[in-house]
Amino acid sequence: MSAPATPPSLDTTNLPAEGGFIGSGQEGGIVDQVRAYFQRVRNGDMGALPAIGGLVVLVILFTILSETMLGQQYFLTERNFANLLTQAASLVMLAMALVFVILLGEIDLSAGVTSGVALSLFVVLTKPDGINMNWIIALVLALGVGVVVGFFIGFFVARVGIPSFVVTLGLFIGLQGVTLILLGDGGVFRIQIPEFLAIQNANLPIWGGWAMLGVMLLISLGTSLWDRRLRTRAGVPNRTIALVWAKLAVIAVVGGFVIAILSVNRSSSIKVIEGVPIVVPIVLAILWIGTFVLDRTRFGRYIYAIGGNAEAARRAGVKVVTIRWAAFVVCSVLAVVSGVFSASKVGSVNAGFGTDIVLSGVAAAVVGGVSLFGGRGRLLHATIGALVIAVIANGLGLLNLPAGVNYIVTGGVLVLAATVDAVSRVRAGGSLIRS
């Protein structure tokens, strides 16, 4: 007679604690935190550390190459810094969208074309010589397209059990047909809505940038104090309060430096161009909300749990089907937001909109440290990975190198990041084979 099967265990290493508070598993003073961090790195949990290192190296490299190859500094300038932020916005948002499904060990290859269908509907509804609908209502309907597509994918993946790669690959092909039907062959539709175009092409007033930094500090302080209160109420030890002040100091210094640079007039003509691009606070707000959801809500904890071990999560009472379903809806809606940023940047939508960005979004998430095996990664990691990809494209473009070089370098960085992920997983005691 064989022994009864032992239920698989649930890896809670990176799982936010039950009760809504952040649990590091290693409390104490600053020295204890630093020691624990290096221990995690030695165990293979490097997070976004490789991406941050790569970002620093790329910035130094392109700064030197711009000076030596072009004879003038074009990369490390106020104007290019602002351009880099606006160019990266859509990729950052798409990478954040994909994190919700990659954490589950799934993929959404149709995220880019979902935004194409949504923005195609948007331009059809807002055409001045057509329906001429209010642009806010049209935008809500475009986001509704994301809900419908995400619901459709979630049904076939979570309920029917078809692999997400197959379902979203089918949609990647099929949704391009929907865009063609909406826009027609070869059509390019200009967007002439000033408020919509301002998202990517206008800036906050100077005082608005500093006010944004003040709000960020207040929210960070409030969130940290709220976390400490929850932990105290639960009888769990808190980290030293010095870490809270250190985090606020870092945000103040780095944020103040960035805003000071963006507050300089970066125009080469008579018209003054200065201030933080409007898209920046929008991205930061969505990043904060998404991080709050993943770190401090039951929905977020369940995503990590399913990604770590779906069977163990199911036996623990997690509604795996519902969580997977909801994650695909969130991914598709945020993908539409990414499309909004992209359309606002270029001011038009064509039949090929969104077809070439999804793999860059996956690459950004993986480069940032989000594990393709699921269960490990954060939205901030994807954001840093997207900045790495954007810096590569921006820097190589300034050097006037062929587009082929961009693809080769980006692909190489992706393979390197995936290798780091796989090796770190093995060092952490995992396997290269998904369970």
Side-chain angles (χ1 to χ4, degrees), residues 1 14 57-58 98 132 163 179 207 276 292 298 310 312 344 349 409 418:
M1 181 177 179
N14 299 295
V57 170
L58 286 171
L98 290 167
N132 198 17
T179 302
W207 63 265
V276 178
F292 186 92
R298 185 169 296 177
S344 173
V349 175
V409 174

Side-chain angles (χ1 to χ4, degrees), residues 9 19 23 41 48 51 62 101 114-115 121 137 147 158 193 219 256 265 274 286 305 324 362 364 381 387 413 429:
S9 61
V41 171
F62 284 127
V101 294
T114 297
S115 69
L121 178 65
I137 298 175
V147 174
I193 304 169
I219 290 177
N265 179 19
E274 59 187 12
I286 295 175
R324 276 187 167 145
V362 176
H381 296 172
L387 289 176
V413 171

Side-chain angles (χ1 to χ4, degrees), residues 241-264:
I241 191 69
L243 284 173
V244 175
W245 306 128
K247 184 173 75 172
L248 292 177
V250 170
I251 294 174
V253 172
V254 175
F257 179 72
V258 170
I259 292 172
I261 291 176
L262 293 174
S263 298
V264 176

Side-chain angles (χ1 to χ4, degrees), residues 91 94 98 109 355-365 389 410 414:
L91 184 59
L94 185 63
L98 290 167
L109 297 177
T355 56
D356 57 353
I357 192 174
V358 67
L359 294 182
S360 296
V362 176
I389 302 294
T410 305
L414 175 59

